[in-house]
Amino acid sequence: MTRYPDIPKPIRSGIVVVNSDTGTPQRIIVLQFNPDTLERSVAPQTAGDSADSGGGGGAGGGDKNEALRLKGPAQETWKFTAEIDATDQLEIAAPDGIHPQLATLEMLVQPTTAQLRAAGRLAQSGTIEISPIEMPLTLFTWGSKRVMPVRLTELSVNESAFDVNLNPIRASLGIGMKILTVSDLPAGHRGADLYMAHLAQKEQLAAAARGGSLGALGLSGIGGSAGGAGTAGSGFGAFSGRG
């Protein structure tokens, strides 16, 4: 009989809820199926945005010295669709359908009853200012190279099948999240440290990428004097020989 080598078990994406003070995982949510696609948006925090908004031949009102400056890390958002299907796990008893899985995700954006009662008691005792309820630190993991602190910004649920007791047994979830950076978290916060580790991982991956050549772009160099327009080859003399 032919023996095949062991097929590695696929890594699942998921969400880890962490205690911000101790770093202890409080809950681990493993997505049943990895999303087929990810929609990522990266918006730089530039200091010279206002200079780009002017009309009349580019006469903007911003400080031109700020055009290439960054105020902080880029703002990054992720969107994807997750699937939950109890019929794919018929060997596991599910008297409540997928209610528990849905409730676990929804509680990522909900305060607990204990927190709401505590806030209510403070209000009844005459406390003038009540601090907003702080949620645990939430991490999104997409393999070992993408572990980042996030805040859920969107959770839409489309339930498409039910059992005889009207418990949902299949659902599609639209999940949106914002990557939390050092601009969003206080100094010394565990999430800020995790973001720095995530950014360092990006830097390592970028360093491993093969660089291109100016010749592939049809250029002999970049730089040169500010004299005239000239051609691409003659106007970029400062870097000639590097292509």
Side-chain angles (χ1 to χ4, degrees):
M1 185 170 100
T2 304
R3 302 190 59 157
Y4 296 95
D6 292 337
I7 300 175
K9 188 176 181 180
I11 295 176
R12 298 293 183 190
S13 56
I15 297 171
V16 183
V17 180
V18 178
N19 184 296
S20 300
D21 297 324
T22 65
T24 305
Q26 296 180 323
R27 182 177 291 274
I28 300 173
I29 304 170
V30 180
L31 297 184
Q32 186 179 359
F33 308 104
N34 286 331
D36 292 329
T37 61
L38 290 172
E39 179 184 344
R40 299 172 53 229
S41 173
V42 183
Q45 290 196 77
T46 56
D49 287 341
S50 58
D52 300 329
S53 60
D63 186 350
K64 294 181 180 180
N65 293 324
E66 302 294 321
L68 298 179
R69 296 185 184 274
L70 296 175
K71 295 184 292 185
Q75 298 295 301
E76 184 173 355
T77 58
W78 287 42
K79 289 184 179 180
F80 59 88
T81 300
E83 305 287 341
I84 303 178
D85 192 344
T87 61
D88 189 62
Q89 301 174 332
L90 293 177
E91 71 280 2
I92 302 175
D96 299 318
I98 59 173
H99 271 308
Q101 293 93 322
L102 294 177
T104 299
L105 289 169
E106 290 176 35
M107 287 308 299
L108 295 177
V109 293
Q110 293 273 17
T112 64
T113 54
Q115 290 171 323
L116 290 174
R117 289 191 179 108
R121 287 193 294 269
L122 288 174
Q124 291 176 358
S125 65
T127 303
I128 298 176
E129 183 176 354
I130 301 174
S131 299
I133 296 172
E134 182 174 354
M135 300 299 289
L137 175 62
T138 304
L139 306 179
F140 180 66
T141 71
W142 185 271
S144 60
K145 296 178 178 62
R146 288 174 170 175
V147 179
M148 63 215 89
V150 299
R151 179 178 67 237
L152 262 67
T153 57
E154 177 184 342
L155 179 60
S156 59
V157 183
N158 181 11
E159 300 175 2
S160 56
F162 306 86
D163 63 15
V164 294
N165 295 316
L166 290 184
N167 294 311
I169 57 175
R170 185 184 303 121
S172 175
L173 298 94
I175 298 177
M177 55 183 61
K178 178 185 183 298
I179 310 302
L180 297 179
T181 73
V182 292
S183 298
D184 304 306
L185 298 165
H189 192 281
R190 190 174 300 273
D193 294 337
L194 288 167
Y195 172 77
M196 291 295 286
H198 168 63
L199 187 59
Q201 176 73 71
K202 256 187 212 299
E203 292 172 355
Q204 292 176 11
L205 292 172
R210 292 186 59 185
S213 68
L214 291 173
L217 304 177
L219 304 176
S220 61
I222 297 178
S225 65
T231 63
S234 62
F236 300 122
F239 286 178
S240 60
R242 298 187 186 181

